[in-house]
Amino acid sequence: MVFSTYLHSFSKTPQKLKKRMLATWTPDQELNKVRLRSGADMKRKLTWYDLVALGVGGMLGVGVFVTTGPVARKTSGPSVFISYIIAAISALLSSLCYTEFSVDVPVAGGAFSYLRVTFGEFVGYFAGANILMEYVLSNAAVSRSFTEYLSCAFGRNDPNSWRVHAHGLMDGYNMLDFSAVALIIVLTICLCHSTKESSMLNLVMTMFHVVFFGFIIIAGFCNGRVENLVKPGGIAPYGVRGILDGAAIVYFSYIGYDTVSTMAEEIRNPSKTLPVGIVGSVLIVSALYCLMALSLCLLVPYNMIPEGASFSAVFQQMGWKWASNVVGAGACLGIVASLLVAMLGQARYLCVIGRARLVPSWFAQVHPTTGTPLNATIVLGICQASIALFTELEIVIEMISIGTLLVFYLVSNALIFRRYVILSKNPPLHTLFFLFLLSCTSFAFSLAWKLKLQWWNLLLFATLTISMTFIFQYLVPLVVVERRPDSWLVPFMPWPATISIFLNVFLMTTLKMVAYKRFGIWAGLITLFYIVYGVHSTYHAEEMEMVVVDNNVNTQQTAKVEIQVI
């Protein structure tokens, strides 16, 4: 009976897709109606310094300790610090787009909520599922890096010394990492207990971590040699192409600021705190990343940088065993802080997707005592612990980058559409046509770069992109509408969002084909899940709510009639 009912419902999938795919919510509905589905409210206990610490803690340690060594050795050479600068510019522009949305829609859904109120249910779901994938994979990868640095802290040079080799499993999946699993379990328990206490723990770890950063930077600049930046092969041995390819990979280092926006429901005074937390943390981390990368390349030539636990191993090569142990301990601390923040964000994403009924609403439940999304936190902790047990970093890192870049690209598009169509009341066709052409010219430029075409092709597509933006800015008016006094707007629109779109498209095309194949499989799976489950669940939920509303209206009308008769 149940199966036949589902088949009957599934037969109506095209009609449901037509109704639900482009269905949007208003910010007020997200803040009130949808948020109430979690039962209890998340507790507003966080301040601006908590948010800056969460942003800094979420980003520090992930990129500089995990990606800098491999990128410097195989992709960018000593110019890896320039790769970080390029990635930082793209991240800063994307963070500005995030900031405007987060102030207008201060809910825990991050990019999922921003895109759902702009482009509809499916785009929001697709972005949310990709962000969840990125969080789970990156956390699993980073937790394995924790084991490498922990072994260095105890004087072990082999990064696999604390792992167990499993015979019979494929290469890349055969080194079992129980230390990473234990770390994820401990952090999951902490996050289930309290957000504020987890934030304080992150604040303490981040302060100590910045001290370790300072030690490495000072050691590099005082004991390094400038000739290591130019020998062998010059400062950019892999050329400009290597710098840009490196930027796409190290962009993985900036995913932490997205977590800050997911804390919007737990912040006091979101309109003032969120801009400081998001933009401030990106600027601080960008400066530290560049200095750390430069310090590493000053200490040894790029071709002598070890790929695993790079900073500890470099000090080991220099004969500073004590410094290697200290750096290993500091890196462990930073990685723990990064994991803590990322796991905070991933649970809130799943919670809000559960509120939307796109996954079972069980994930949306907030514990009334702790004020945390308990169910989502536990399930995601189990998922990433399972992946961390088997999977090597190299297998997932580029797939993480492509998912992150795609979501940031969508948010930048959504900001232009929101400002020029939803708020300015312009016809949507002109803006959609501009966004389509902008994506096409950005992709054409990126493809010309990828295929190493002549320079005039690059100049042509770059000129087209700039000219189109000028024409759009001139022809489509940006109406200054009356807004709340606590609103925050990205200045100089549409340029920041346009450049963000261009850079995200460009960085995506520098990734390897294997990343797109894996991403394609994931995209197919989440789309299939939406068709099989998500669209039916949301359609049923919204129909039921409409029936309840209609019944309430009819009851009120009947009551009025009875009163008049009496």
Side-chain angles (χ1 to χ4, degrees), residues 430-500:
H430 302 112
T431 302
L432 290 173
F433 186 60
F434 165 70
L435 292 175
F436 172 74
L437 291 179
L438 174 61
S439 297
C440 289
T441 55
S442 301
F443 180 73
F445 178 93
S446 305
L447 198 61
W449 174 270
K450 186 82 172 177
L451 298 176
K452 301 180 181 180
L453 300 182
Q454 295 182 359
W455 65 269
W456 63 265
N457 291 282
L458 301 175
L459 182 61
L460 172 64
F461 294 124
T463 303
L464 284 174
T465 302
I466 295 171
S467 301
M468 279 193 316
T469 306
F470 272 117
I471 293 170
F472 174 75
Q473 187 178 24
Y474 177 76
L475 294 179
V476 182
L478 182 61
V479 178
V480 180
V481 296
E482 186 176 347
R483 297 168 62 83
R484 303 191 316 267
D486 58 355
S487 294
W488 191 92
L489 297 175
V490 177
F492 310 114
M493 283 291 288
W495 291 99
T498 297
I499 298 171
S500 176

Side-chain angles (χ1 to χ4, degrees), residues 125-444:
Y125 161 79
F126 191 79
N130 275 288
I131 281 286
L132 270 178
M133 177 269 294
E134 165 252 307
Y135 270 124
V136 171
L137 291 183
S138 65
N139 291 345
V142 170
S143 62
R144 289 181 69 91
S145 183
F146 167 82
T147 302
E148 295 179 3
Y149 277 99
L150 188 63
S151 63
C152 289
F154 284 90
R156 305 294 293 272
N157 295 329
D158 182 7
N160 287 320
S161 58
W162 283 27
R163 293 176 180 144
V164 178
H165 185 266
H167 299 283
L169 296 179
M170 293 174 55
D171 288 341
Y173 301 91
N174 57 353
M175 299 301 296
L176 305 186
D177 196 329
F178 293 100
S179 301
V181 173
L183 173 63
I184 291 172
I185 292 172
V186 170
L187 292 180
T188 300
I189 294 171
C190 292
L191 293 173
C192 289
H193 180 63
S194 169
T195 300
K196 179 62 178 179
E197 290 178 12
S198 299
S199 172
M200 291 303 297
L201 176 62
N202 168 74
L203 180 60
V204 172
M205 288 191 296
T206 300
M207 290 172 64
F208 278 106
H209 193 203
V210 171
V211 173
F212 282 111
F213 266 52
F215 167 75
I216 295 171
I217 292 168
I218 293 171
F221 279 84
C222 292
N223 297 281
R225 296 186 298 172
V226 177
E227 52 262 36
N228 286 337
L229 294 178
V230 293
K231 293 180 182 179
I235 195 169
Y238 300 100
V240 177
R241 189 172 301 277
I243 294 173
L244 295 173
D245 289 348
I249 298 173
V250 301
Y251 199 83
F252 161 69
S253 313
Y254 292 94
I255 61 176
Y257 77 78
D258 173 73
T259 303
V260 177
S261 68
T262 67
M263 309 305 296
E265 288 184 30
E266 297 159 88
I267 302 167
R268 301 169 186 167
N269 197 1
S271 61
K272 294 182 180 179
T273 305
L274 281 165
V276 174
I278 296 176
V279 179
S281 59
V282 171
L283 291 173
I284 292 170
V285 167
S286 298
L288 290 173
Y289 275 167
C290 294
L291 291 173
M292 285 284 286
L294 191 58
S295 173
L296 179 66
C297 294
L298 282 169
L299 287 170
V300 294
Y302 78 93
N303 59 342
M304 294 178 61
I305 297 174
E307 293 185 40
S310 304
F311 285 88
S312 290
V314 163
F315 281 110
Q316 188 83 21
Q317 287 180 8
M318 296 171 59
W320 290 18
K321 187 174 181 180
W322 65 271
S324 175
N325 296 343
V326 168
V327 171
C332 289
L333 199 63
I335 288 171
V336 171
S338 298
L339 274 174
L340 183 71
V341 176
M343 290 171 70
L344 271 172
Q346 70 180 13
R348 278 137 190 86
Y349 262 110
L350 185 56
C351 172
V352 176
I353 295 173
R355 288 176 185 172
R357 305 287 196 268
L358 290 162
V359 296
S361 56
W362 180 79
F363 289 109
Q365 296 303 309
V366 172
H367 196 277
T369 303
T370 63
T372 60
L374 194 66
N375 299 337
T377 302
I378 292 172
V379 170
L380 289 174
I382 293 172
C383 289
Q384 66 193 35
S386 303
I387 296 171
L389 181 63
F390 296 97
T391 313
E392 293 289 354
L393 171 67
E394 292 78 9
I395 293 174
V396 299
I397 191 168
E398 288 200 352
M399 189 174 171
I400 295 167
S401 292
I402 192 173
T404 306
L405 289 166
L406 176 65
V407 173
F408 293 168
Y409 160 82
L410 290 172
V411 171
S412 299
N413 277 274
L415 181 64
I416 292 177
F417 187 85
R418 180 171 172 77
R419 288 283 290 274
Y420 282 88
V421 177
I422 298 176
L423 298 180
S424 297
K425 309 296 183 183
N426 291 312
L429 186 61
H430 302 112
T431 302
L432 290 173
F433 186 60
F434 165 70
L435 292 175
F436 172 74
L437 291 179
L438 174 61
S439 297
C440 289
T441 55
S442 301
F443 180 73

